[in-house]
Amino acid sequence: GENVEQHPSTLSVQEGDSAVIKCTYSDSASNYFPWYKQELGKRPQLIIDIRSNVGEKKDQRIAVTLNKTAKHFSLHITETQPEDSAVYFCAASYFQKLVFGTGTRLLVSP
Amino acid sequence: EAQVTQNPRYLITVTGKKLTVTCSQNMNHEYMSWYRQDPGLGLRQIYYSMNVEVTDKGDVPEGYKVSRKEKRNFPLILESPSPNQTSLYFCASSPARGGVVNEQFFGPGTRLTVL
């Protein structure tokens, strides 16, 4: 089955810096790669996603890149703000299953 | 308001006492799923359903049952709960057009403690 590894587990940055979170997946059949943000005590919410026929996708300060050959994808957040502080989860979907990474706790200090 | 609801939100029970956590969505989504969230392990899929009367195992189905008799409801059943099922549970739904997984809309979560 699919296995998703996510790094780092914690990431501390200063406000205005960029943050990068990386994930690798094992099953080449995976074709959908979403990223979710979970604030403390809240439910996960989708922030961006990408399908395997696309290499990069941007939405304002957030971007995701996908390297199918290497089986890894990354979340890039530019000009970080304190409200970006949360836990971020990557995921990979193969067939109708969805497998999540273990999460990255991002702390943005003012 | 489009939403996914779960009940109860909090539950403390004892080993072996059967329980059901309900999940309902009003967005006419085909796909519904249950996840458990544990510290350091992220979200792990328990079961999912692509449509009425169609359910499949996720990565951690042992000790759980589900049913999908109606499109809007997807209850999670623990026939004989054990302490290792203490966790935060999320139900989610998604518009799975053409059998493809899309954005998951999560419910508020149910915090279950099994003593």
Side-chain angles (χ1 to χ4, degrees):
Chain A
E2 176 65 281
N3 181 51
V4 177
E5 293 192 1
Q6 183 172 347
H7 298 281
S9 56
T10 59
L11 180 58
S12 294
V13 300
Q14 292 292 123
E15 182 177 0
D17 288 350
S18 294
V20 180
I21 303 170
K22 299 181 179 181
C23 288
T24 60
Y25 61 100
S26 60
D27 196 321
S28 56
S30 290
N31 56 11
Y32 174 62
F33 307 92
W35 286 88
Y36 286 83
K37 175 183 180 182
Q38 186 178 29
E39 296 175 353
L40 191 61
K42 301 281 183 66
R43 69 194 79 183
Q45 290 192 296
L46 182 78
I47 54 171
I48 196 166
D49 57 10
I50 193 168
R51 296 206 179 266
S52 58
N53 58 349
V54 176
E56 182 176 0
K57 185 176 178 180
K58 278 182 135 177
D59 183 2
Q60 299 182 342
R61 296 185 298 109
I62 293 171
V64 56
T65 58
L66 171 65
N67 184 327
K68 284 195 304 182
T69 303
K71 288 191 236 170
H72 67 70
F73 56 113
S74 301
L75 178 71
H76 305 253
I77 305 174
T78 58
E79 299 170 28
T80 53
Q81 301 165 3
E83 50 266 38
D84 294 329
S85 295
V87 178
Y88 292 81
F89 292 99
C90 64
S93 175
Y94 71 112
F95 302 102
Q96 288 91 32
K97 284 190 178 183
L98 194 58
V99 178
F100 284 82
T102 51
T104 296
R105 184 173 301 278
L106 174 64
L107 177 62
V108 181
S109 303
Chain B
E1 181 192 352
Q3 60 182 345
V4 179
T5 57
Q6 294 178 228
N7 282 292
R9 295 288 313 281
Y10 302 90
L11 180 60
I12 300 174
T13 189
V14 295
T15 299
K17 186 176 181 182
K18 181 179 178 179
L19 67 92
T20 299
V21 184
T22 64
C23 174
S24 184
Q25 52 97 3
N26 62 2
M27 295 172 279
N28 201 35
H29 286 165
E30 295 83 4
Y31 187 97
M32 296 187 75
S33 183
W34 277 101
Y35 301 90
R36 60 178 290 175
Q37 183 173 22
D38 302 289
L41 297 178
L43 292 148
R44 293 180 292 167
Q45 193 171 43
I46 303 171
Y47 269 95
Y48 63 94
S49 168
M50 283 300 296
N51 216 324
V52 175
E53 301 294 358
V54 179
T55 62
D56 279 294
K57 295 178 181 179
D59 283 339
V60 289
E62 292 76 23
Y64 304 95
K65 282 175 58 176
V66 293
S67 67
R68 188 89 183 274
K69 295 188 172 63
E70 305 163 283
K71 196 172 186 179
R72 63 183 293 127
N73 296 324
F74 192 45
L76 180 70
I77 303 154
L78 284 72
E79 295 267 3
S80 183
S82 62
N84 63 11
Q85 293 178 298
T86 293
S87 187
L88 177 59
Y89 291 86
F90 285 102
C91 179
S93 72
S94 173
R97 303 179 193 92
V100 177
V101 174
N102 289 288
E103 175 181 0
Q104 305 281 296
F105 291 84
F106 285 87
T110 294
R111 187 164 293 282
L112 172 66
T113 301
V114 183
L115 302 174

